[in-house]
Amino acid sequence: MFKLLMLLLMFLSSLAANVSQDIFILAGQSNMAGRGGVEHGKWDGNVPPECRPNPSTLRLSAKLTWEEAHEPLHADIDVGKTCGIGPGMAFVDGLRANGSRIGVVGLVPCAVGGTKISKWARGTQLYSQLVSRAGASVKDGGTIRAILWYQGESDTVTKEDADAYKGNIETLITNLRTDLNIPSLPVIQVALASGEGKFIETVRSSQLAINLPNVKCIDAQGLALQRDNLHLTTMSQVQVGLKLASAFIDSFGNMP
């Protein structure tokens, strides 16, 4: 048993040492951080097959160390809240299920619930943390392949925030590409399924209208919500992850 454990640790260490070739940043607010299966402040612990651990799927912890990824992916990032299932693990499962040549994958959780896009502007703590974690993820090798972005529910409360959303997200994408030194970095965003206020369609229209190179949008509208009418159910999160995977493969799968 001891020898088997040592072999397993050596294998995981080898994965961490080589660091994944394909790294994806997960950013946004609660539906990216994951609330699938969370009710009354408790996660039900249900992990769908698409979200189960795989030795070739790693996550960058809050301590900036690589470890085997498992749900909830954001437990040590979106602290002070109860995290459940998000789209990240299903995204990787979708990449592998669709015959992509993906190998070891590194996920970099950065999402924090309840955050307006203004909280992600250049110079803010969340922006700086994302850039810092992204830099740490490639310190020993690997390539950042895309940012997966699911955010905007908090910007639906006031007309001012909703009207400003398109300019804010375009500026954010431009700044991240500059500060990460990846001018053509793909960004795949999720158009809202819900919101905290009445200006959901204003934010959705902005998300669907972004016209920057290498920016794609998948739509969560119509997916099942939990009883709070804000957060996606576990299986809706799986569907978002699979949609994100299809969008990446279709648009960016052949990128070097």
Side-chain angles (χ1 to χ4, degrees):
M1 180 63 74
F2 178 76
K3 183 178 289 187
L4 182 61
L5 179 60
M6 291 303 295
L7 286 172
L8 177 60
L9 290 173
M10 288 173 63
F11 175 67
L12 292 176
S13 295
S14 174
L15 288 178
N18 290 322
V19 185
S20 56
Q21 280 296 111
D22 299 293
I23 296 170
F24 297 90
I25 311 297
L26 312 178
Q29 57 179 116
S30 56
N31 272 315
M32 177 58 82
R35 299 293 188 266
V38 175
E39 198 166 345
H40 305 302
K42 293 185 179 180
W43 177 45
D44 62 14
N46 177 41
V47 179
E50 297 89 345
C51 303
R52 290 174 185 164
N54 181 313
S56 295
T57 304
L58 309 179
R59 71 180 287 276
L60 192 70
S61 74
K63 296 180 179 179
L64 304 181
T65 57
W66 289 108
E67 61 185 22
E68 185 173 322
H70 59 82
E71 297 286 9
L73 279 176
H74 279 79
D76 61 347
I77 300 298
D78 193 12
V79 295
K81 299 151 191 167
T82 303
C83 294
I85 301 296
M89 294 293 280
F91 166 74
V92 181
D93 185 76
L95 293 182
R96 295 198 169 107
N98 280 283
S100 70
R101 293 172 292 178
I102 211 85
V104 177
V105 172
L107 298 175
V108 183
C110 296
V112 175
T115 51
K116 293 182 181 182
I117 198 166
S118 59
K119 295 290 186 180
W120 291 90
R122 180 188 261 163
T124 63
Q125 180 179 354
L126 291 177
Y127 183 93
S128 298
Q129 178 175 283
L130 188 160
V131 172
S132 175
R133 286 177 58 73
S137 74
V138 294
K139 182 181 64 175
D140 298 315
T143 301
I144 297 174
R145 296 296 184 187
I147 294 176
L148 309 182
W149 179 262
Y150 191 170
Q151 185 275 338
E153 294 91 345
S154 291
D155 291 276
T156 65
V157 177
T158 70
K159 188 175 187 300
E160 180 183 14
D161 286 339
D163 287 343
Y165 195 85
K166 186 172 185 289
N168 285 336
I169 186 66
E170 289 178 343
T171 298
L172 174 64
I173 291 169
T174 301
N175 288 343
L176 284 172
R177 286 172 167 171
T178 298
D179 292 341
L180 295 176
N181 197 28
I182 312 175
S184 299
L185 177 63
V187 175
I188 309 176
Q189 59 163 344
V190 183
L192 297 181
S194 60
E196 296 176 20
K198 63 181 181 180
F199 297 103
I200 298 173
E201 287 307 316
T202 304
V203 174
R204 279 179 48 80
S205 295
S206 295
Q207 293 170 326
L208 293 166
I210 291 175
N211 189 28
L212 292 175
N214 286 350
V215 176
K216 301 298 176 181
C217 187
I218 64 110
D219 201 343
Q221 189 175 60
L223 293 178
L225 300 172
Q226 299 186 58
R227 280 184 280 188
D228 62 7
N229 287 317
L230 181 63
H231 296 112
L232 298 182
T233 65
T234 293
M235 292 316 298
S236 291
Q237 286 284 16
V238 170
Q239 291 178 65
V240 167
L242 297 179
K243 285 187 175 188
L244 287 166
S246 293
F248 179 78
I249 292 170
D250 291 345
S251 299
F252 310 115
N254 294 322
M255 292 182 69

